[in-house]
């Protein structure tokens, strides 16, 4: 079995080398965020800061008064947007899986068709519609157009189709109505599907760059990606500040991932091979 | 006629669908129709919007628009290099990770970091590393390789974005492959081993063919994603697509025509439609191609 261990060693080398390639940019950014400007400008290559400092983090929160605001905007839009998605997509998926009504099939086909349209096509008309109803530069303008996601309606439908009917029938016998059954029985049992959806939808809102770029023009209303971009313009050579801000921005997603990690791969499998 | 019970259920069905239909109707379906209208008009946005019918002009204009041709060329090169590279890398990583080695879980978490991080943050981190006296040039110098002005040199700026995006997306597709690898029955590998197949033969003759449907999915998702490249080139070039149009992509061009220059909103919509058609055709071709292949 000597050959086998040689092969294993080769695989380990591939995995370790790639792990290093993956981690280095993050370590480099993290270390830069704790360096003084002097050290940054000197161009020295050391991963452990010579003069470890928290000043960059203090600076971005105090000297840039909008930074806290951007953080709040991002959190608010992503949280409300995600909650609405969870509710609306599940409701729609449930109706398509469980209830019968005229036009069900065409509605389902329409939702599948919507999946195929790249969002660049609707981007410009969406801007004009939001302008017309006065929702540019507003939370609702960022949240409502993204409050439903056809991919996850489809995913929830698949989930509910495989869901045992007996549970619902038992609830109906106990006197729960349709809505009671849905909110008290069906949704709590759909936790794995909802968890996968939470992380994907939250990430999409949190990381979105193009939509806010178009919809938001007041600095007050900026989300973090826009804030970061304007930061870059303003502090062009202050990479220590830019890296500190980048780290603050990355943290919430890592926390969310730590919470929902288990469901992540499941969710990819859900949305993945069809 | 529906019975009373059926009617009640139908009512509930519509009620459950109402929020989704409202949002999709106003912000997806109506905009698609509106986009068709816009693409045939010259749109002026001074105070209110005014429209002037132009027929197919917007669609014809692309052929003599130098910047559109450059954007299309950049995007094409980008797609042609990034999609195969990231797919192959994802496959190799997934196969390595699936070999039952220790520390699988650890590697998986590490590899997932770029997927979690926003494109804005990743782009800024890479711009910092691509600095003329930054980390990447330092490593290249250390290895006695040539260094580049990654951000400022039109010959390498797009390559810099390619490297960053392959690095960032391959691990995501790796996770998809990994899930599929678990579904390949062990008996296939055992049979191959009895026939005397080595690890590399097993990889090419069992793993790769068994993963064909997933590969098809990964390639299609890759195509859709790469054709839509925007954030990275926007941040990299400060919105200009520079240096010297080298990072100008189709979507960045759409953005510029729609929101940065006056009177070209209809033209931008027409380009967006053409992009949608290119993506659709590429997807269909890929599907057809992979289906034919799997017949053998």
């Amino acid at each position: 079995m000597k050959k086998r261990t040689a092969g294993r060693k080769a695989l380990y080398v591939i995995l370790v080398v790639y792990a290093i390639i993956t981690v280095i940019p993050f370590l480099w950014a993290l270390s830069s965020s704790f360096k003084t400007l002097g050290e940054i400008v000197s161009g020295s290559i050391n991963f452990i800061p010579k003069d470890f400092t928290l000043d960059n983090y203090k600076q971005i929160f105090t000297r840039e008064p909008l930074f806290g605001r951007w953080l709040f905007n991002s959190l608010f839009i992503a949280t409300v947007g995600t909650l609405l998605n969870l509710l609306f997509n599940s409701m729609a998926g449930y109706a398509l899986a469980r209830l019968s009504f005229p036009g069900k099939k065409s509605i389902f086909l329409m939702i599948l068709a919507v999946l195929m349209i790249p969002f660049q096509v609707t981007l410009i008309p969406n801007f004009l519609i939001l302008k017309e109803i006065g929702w540019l530069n507003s939370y609702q303008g960022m949240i409502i157009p993204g409050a439903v996601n056809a991919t996850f309606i489809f995913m929830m439908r698949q989930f509910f189709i495989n869901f045992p009917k007996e549970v619902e029938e038992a609830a109906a016998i106990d006197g729960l109505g349709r809505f009671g059954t849905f909110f008290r029985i069906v949704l709590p049992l759909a936790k794995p599907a909802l968890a996968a959806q939470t992380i994907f939808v939250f990430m999409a809102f949190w990381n979105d760059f193009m939509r806010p770029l178009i919809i938001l023009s007041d600095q007050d209303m900026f989300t973090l990606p826009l804030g970061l971009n304007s930061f870059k313009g303003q502090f062009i050579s202050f990479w220590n500040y830019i890296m500190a801000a980048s780290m603050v921005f990355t943290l919430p997603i890592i926390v969310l991932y730590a919470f929902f990690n288990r469901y992540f791969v499941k969710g990819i499998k859900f949305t993945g091979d069809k | 006629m529906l019975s009373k019970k059926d009617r009640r259920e139908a009512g509930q069905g519509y009620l459950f669908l109402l929020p989704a239909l409202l949002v999709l109707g106003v912000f997806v379906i109506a905009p698609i129709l509106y986009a068709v209208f816009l693409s045939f008009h010259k749109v002026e946005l001074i105070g209110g919007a005014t429209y002037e019918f132009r027929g197919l002009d917007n669609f014809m204009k692309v052929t003599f628009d130098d910047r559109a041709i450059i954007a299309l060329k950049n995007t094409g090169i980008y797609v042609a290099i990034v999609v195969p590279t990231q797919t192959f890398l994802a496959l190799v990583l997934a196969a390595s990770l699936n070999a039952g080695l220790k520390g699988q879980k650890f590697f998986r978490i590490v590899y997932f970091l770029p997927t979690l991080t926003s494109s804005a943050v990743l782009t800024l981190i890479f711009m910092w590393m691509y600095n003329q006296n930054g980390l990447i040039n330092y490593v290249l110098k250390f290895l006695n390789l040539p260094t580049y002005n990654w951000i400022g040199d039109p010959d390498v700026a797009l390559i810099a974005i390619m490297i960053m995006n392959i690095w960032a997306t391959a691990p995501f597709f790796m996770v998809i492959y990994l899930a599929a690898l678990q579904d390949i029955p062990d008996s296939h590998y055992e049979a191959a081993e009895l026939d005397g197949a080595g690890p590399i033969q097993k990889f090419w003759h069992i793993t790769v063919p068994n993963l064909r449907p997933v590969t098809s999915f990964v390639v299609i998702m890759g195509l859709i994603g790469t054709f839509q490249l925007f954030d990275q080139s926007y941040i990299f070039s400060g919105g200009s697509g520079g240096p010297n149009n080298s990072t100008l992509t189709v979507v960045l061009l759409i953005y510029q025509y729609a929101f940065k220059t006056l009177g070209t909103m209809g033209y931008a919509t027409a380009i967006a439609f053409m992009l949608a058609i290119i993506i659709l055709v590429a997807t269909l071709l890929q599907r057809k191609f992979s289906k034919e292949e799997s017949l053998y």
Side-chain angles (χ1 to χ4, degrees):
Chain A
M1 291 270 100
K2 205 175 169 191
K3 211 174 140 201
R4 193 158 188 163
T5 49
R8 293 200 150 223
K9 264 184 202 153
L11 287 182
Y12 266 120
V13 171
I14 296 178
L15 291 177
V16 170
V17 167
Y18 202 77
I20 293 171
I21 292 173
T22 308
V23 170
I24 277 186
F26 292 100
L27 286 182
W28 186 237
L30 188 68
S31 102
S32 305
S33 75
F34 293 116
K35 285 177 181 172
T36 59
L37 184 62
E39 200 173 340
I40 288 272
V41 193
S42 74
S44 63
I45 304 294
N46 49 310
F47 278 81
I48 300 182
K50 277 183 214 129
D51 304 305
F52 182 91
T53 172
L54 289 170
D55 268 3
N56 303 324
Y57 288 91
K58 276 185 212 146
Q59 282 282 357
I60 55 172
F61 278 105
T62 54
R63 212 175 86 180
E64 179 58 77
L66 283 176
F67 191 79
R69 175 79 199 231
W70 295 336
L71 188 63
F72 169 80
N73 291 346
S74 269
L75 277 173
F76 181 76
I77 291 170
T79 308
V80 177
T82 306
L83 290 175
L84 290 180
N85 263 283
L86 290 178
L87 180 66
F88 293 164
N89 297 339
S90 312
M91 282 167 67
Y94 181 76
L96 291 171
R98 272 290 197 270
L99 302 170
S100 64
F101 48 88
K104 180 164 127 176
K105 207 173 166 199
S106 17
I107 292 176
F108 182 58
L109 286 178
M110 185 197 79
I111 287 169
L112 286 184
V114 160
L115 280 176
M116 311 212 342
I117 307 289
F119 92 107
Q120 284 83 13
V121 170
T122 56
L123 195 71
I124 298 164
N126 252 320
F127 169 83
L128 293 173
I129 290 172
L130 290 174
K131 186 174 154 73
E132 205 52 48
I133 52 182
W135 281 11
L136 289 179
N137 255 319
S138 72
Y139 290 126
Q140 64 271 33
M142 277 300 299
I143 294 169
I144 303 296
V148 167
N149 183 318
T151 312
F152 289 104
I153 295 180
F154 179 73
M155 182 182 123
M156 291 314 286
R157 176 189 173 266
Q158 303 308 91
F159 181 85
F160 287 130
I161 276 183
N162 299 320
F163 195 74
K165 249 189 175 138
E166 295 74 31
V167 187
E168 286 166 71
E169 281 159 8
I173 291 168
D174 289 346
L176 269 179
R178 182 68 72 187
F179 290 89
T181 311
F182 179 74
F183 285 107
R184 311 254 286 271
I185 314 286
V186 175
L187 271 192
L189 287 172
K191 262 186 207 142
L194 294 179
Q197 210 182 138
T198 302
I199 189 142
F200 283 107
V201 175
F202 189 90
M203 266 176 59
F205 271 106
W206 184 257
N207 292 339
D208 195 3
F209 183 74
M210 197 175 191
R211 252 170 17 100
L213 182 69
I214 287 158
I215 297 172
L216 309 173
S217 51
D218 282 356
Q219 291 240 326
D220 275 19
M221 291 304 296
F222 275 11
T223 54
L224 271 175
L226 285 195
L228 270 181
N229 189 51
S230 76
F231 222 61
K232 189 198 97 203
Q234 197 183 340
F235 296 105
I236 190 74
S237 44
F238 291 80
W239 283 102
N240 48 336
Y241 295 160
I242 299 172
M243 287 302 116
S246 299
M247 291 299 104
V248 174
F249 183 35
T250 308
L251 199 66
I253 283 287
I254 298 206
V255 171
L256 189 74
Y257 176 65
F259 264 107
F260 290 107
N261 169 21
R262 270 186 306 145
Y263 302 108
F264 217 128
V265 177
K266 267 191 217 154
I268 290 177
K269 244 188 142 181
F270 260 125
T271 49
D273 35 0
K274 279 170 200 162
Chain B
M1 253 331 267
L2 295 168
S3 73
K4 202 179 156 199
K5 188 173 163 277
D6 285 345
R7 252 182 300 166
R8 213 175 108 200
E9 185 167 326
Q12 287 166 341
Y14 294 131
L15 217 55
F16 269 81
L17 272 168
L18 186 69
L21 290 182
L22 263 180
V23 173
L24 290 178
V26 177
F27 295 108
V28 182
I29 314 276
I32 292 172
L33 301 175
Y34 197 1
V36 175
F37 171 84
L38 289 173
S39 66
F40 291 107
H41 288 77
K42 182 173 164 61
V43 185
E44 291 284 1
L45 271 189
I46 305 160
T50 56
Y51 310 99
E52 188 186 316
F53 185 73
R54 284 291 173 86
L56 286 171
D57 277 10
N58 287 332
F59 290 91
M60 308 305 283
K61 203 168 146 190
V62 177
T63 48
F64 44 88
D65 178 352
D66 291 342
R67 297 194 77 223
I69 291 162
I70 292 171
L72 197 63
K73 210 180 109 203
N74 288 342
T75 308
I77 295 172
Y78 178 82
V79 172
I81 293 178
V82 172
V83 173
T85 314
Q86 74 188 10
T87 307
F88 183 71
L89 187 59
L91 183 59
V92 170
L93 287 175
S96 311
L97 206 48
N98 197 44
L101 300 176
K102 270 183 211 153
Q104 244 204 58
K105 215 173 176 181
F106 167 78
F107 286 119
R108 228 149 83 170
I109 293 173
V110 168
Y111 291 166
F112 224 72
L113 279 172
T115 307
L116 296 171
T117 312
S118 87
S119 54
V121 167
L122 288 181
T123 311
L124 289 175
I125 292 179
F126 270 78
M127 284 180 80
W128 167 224
M129 294 200 305
Y130 277 136
N131 240 355
Q132 273 211 291
N133 51 0
L135 186 64
I136 291 180
N137 276 346
Y138 181 87
V139 172
L140 290 175
K141 212 185 287 167
F142 183 79
L143 298 171
N144 269 323
L145 293 167
T147 61
Y148 298 96
N149 177 5
W150 293 97
I151 298 168
D153 181 349
D155 289 335
V156 290
L158 190 64
I159 297 172
I161 297 179
M162 286 178 189
I163 295 173
M164 169 172 89
N165 274 11
I166 292 168
W167 172 88
T169 352
F172 174 73
F173 290 129
M174 177 206 75
V175 177
I176 296 180
Y177 270 129
L178 211 50
L181 276 172
Q182 258 124 62
D183 297 336
I184 301 179
D186 286 338
S187 56
H188 288 201
Y189 289 106
E190 283 155 18
E193 242 165 80
L194 285 178
D195 290 342
I200 298 200
Q201 281 167 311
K202 279 193 280 182
F203 176 75
W204 283 112
H205 294 292
I206 296 173
T207 312
V208 173
N210 266 294
L211 289 178
R212 206 162 265 161
V214 187
T215 302
S216 185
F217 175 77
V218 167
V219 170
I220 290 174
M221 295 303 286
L223 283 174
I224 295 175
T226 45
F227 269 120
Q228 301 185 341
L229 177 67
F230 175 80
D231 304 5
Q232 293 84 340
S233 44
Y234 182 94
I235 298 170
F236 218 74
S237 66
S240 70
N244 197 13
N245 288 334
S246 60
T247 60
L248 185 68
T249 64
V250 175
V251 181
L252 183 51
L253 187 75
I254 294 172
Y255 169 81
Q256 289 179 350
Y257 278 138
F259 303 105
K260 292 290 144 189
T261 48
L262 291 173
T264 46
M265 215 170 218
Y267 179 44
T269 315
I271 302 178
F273 263 114
M274 287 184 264
L275 176 69
I277 291 165
I278 293 177
I279 294 176
L280 191 71
V281 169
T283 308
L284 292 176
L285 279 180
Q286 210 291 319
R287 274 234 171 111
K288 195 165 179 276
F289 181 68
S290 67
K291 251 188 208 140
E292 264 166 22
E293 219 181 349
S294 64
L295 285 177
Y296 298 101

